[in-house]
Amino acid sequence: MKKSILSLLLCLLFAGTSHAGWYVCYNFKGKIGDRPIHLSIQLLRGYGDDPEAITVKGVYMYDNLNEPIPINGILNERTHMVLKETINNQPNAMMDFLFYGNKMKGTWMSLKNKMSPETLELEKTGELIDTVASAKIDPIDIIQSASLKDKYLVGVYSKKTIGKQAVMRKLKIVDKVTNKVTQEIDFEKVKTASGNVWTIIYGNTIVDDINNDGNKDITVWNDVGKRGGYLYIMYDPKKKEYVLNPTPEADEITPAKN
């Protein structure tokens, strides 16, 4: 019999085995009512005040908008997941479902409007388990929380070597309207690992105007030096594309575990 998500989760988060990394992530496709969505979550044990609690962080997107929406919550009694979405740092809606098996059902409810709850349907499409040192990880897409005005960002994670942490091998830049990849940034030639510094996997990219030229640039956390640092991906308005500086810059302050 195949193990359920729950059984695997309990083994990974509560067994106390040695591990290489801290990422336990699951990807889903599904529907809220009749609206298709994609959801990606990360589970963390002891992230808050309770060392035994399982905190959940993630993002989801409506397929017709492709705009990442932050979502966070807890896994109650190891089976009941309650997630709240936030827009502009304000609670907007809530997902409530049983976290069990490969297909799940629950409800989505607005926290602003007095609307009846809608049916939530989810199906697991992939996972990134980086807490077992002996396991390799095939490439998997992880949507990032940060996004550009007309593009969203997807980190391609994998682990090729036993005992190492999963790292971001590529960063996909995807058009929100067409859902087509417009550019891929390859980190294979960067000597230090990328995209594995922040505890929350979705926070490993930052969007900001680094050189104050009026164009948004991309920063990816990099495991350089003792404290971590940054890879800069600058937008070139002449080429109309993003250009990677393969030499990371060390940070003088230890990044917080968000």
Side-chain angles (χ1 to χ4, degrees), residues 23-27 39-42 58-59 126-129 139-146 152-158 167-168 170-172 195 200-205:
Y23 298 138
V24 176
C25 304
Y26 298 96
N27 288 342
L39 167 69
S40 185
I41 59 172
Q42 178 181 346
V59 295
E127 61 187 28
L128 168 62
I129 309 298
I140 181 173
D141 288 356
I142 301 292
I143 301 168
Q144 298 293 290
S145 296
Y152 68 94
L153 306 174
V154 177
V156 182
Y157 279 79
S158 70
V167 302
M168 190 189 296
K170 295 180 181 180
L171 181 68
K172 294 180 181 178
I200 306 302
I201 200 168
Y202 312 103
N204 272 289
T205 58

Side-chain angles (χ1 to χ4, degrees), residues 145-165:
S145 296
S147 69
L148 300 156
K149 182 179 180 180
D150 57 351
K151 306 285 194 305
Y152 68 94
L153 306 174
V154 177
V156 182
Y157 279 79
S158 70
K159 184 169 70 173
K160 296 180 179 180
T161 306
I162 291 174
K164 299 291 185 178
Q165 287 180 279

Side-chain angles (χ1 to χ4, degrees), residues 31-35 62 83 92-97 105-121:
K31 289 183 178 181
I32 293 174
D34 60 357
R35 305 185 300 280
Y62 291 94
L83 306 174
N92 186 69
M94 182 175 70
M95 293 182 181
D96 188 323
F97 59 96
K105 287 189 176 182
T107 58
W108 179 96
M109 181 176 65
S110 172
L111 297 178
K112 288 188 173 182
N113 303 315
K114 294 182 179 180
M115 300 168 55
S116 299
E118 296 188 68
T119 300
L120 171 68
E121 298 180 6

Side-chain angles (χ1 to χ4, degrees), residues 173-238:
I173 302 174
V174 189
D175 188 276
K176 290 180 180 178
V177 175
T178 65
N179 209 30
K180 302 294 185 182
V181 177
T182 60
Q183 193 175 348
E184 283 191 0
I185 308 298
D186 192 342
F187 302 135
E188 292 294 346
K189 293 184 179 180
V190 180
K191 294 182 179 179
T192 44
S194 302
N196 67 341
V197 175
W198 285 79
T199 304
I200 306 302
I201 200 168
Y202 312 103
N204 272 289
T205 58
I206 302 167
V207 170
D208 198 8
D209 183 0
I210 298 170
N211 56 2
N212 297 313
D213 68 347
N215 297 299
K216 294 294 186 181
D217 308 297
I218 304 169
T219 301
V220 177
W221 279 98
N222 182 271
D223 194 12
V224 61
K226 294 182 179 180
R227 299 179 177 180
Y230 319 96
L231 275 177
Y232 294 115
I233 306 170
M234 311 297 292
Y235 183 74
D236 186 330
K238 292 183 179 179

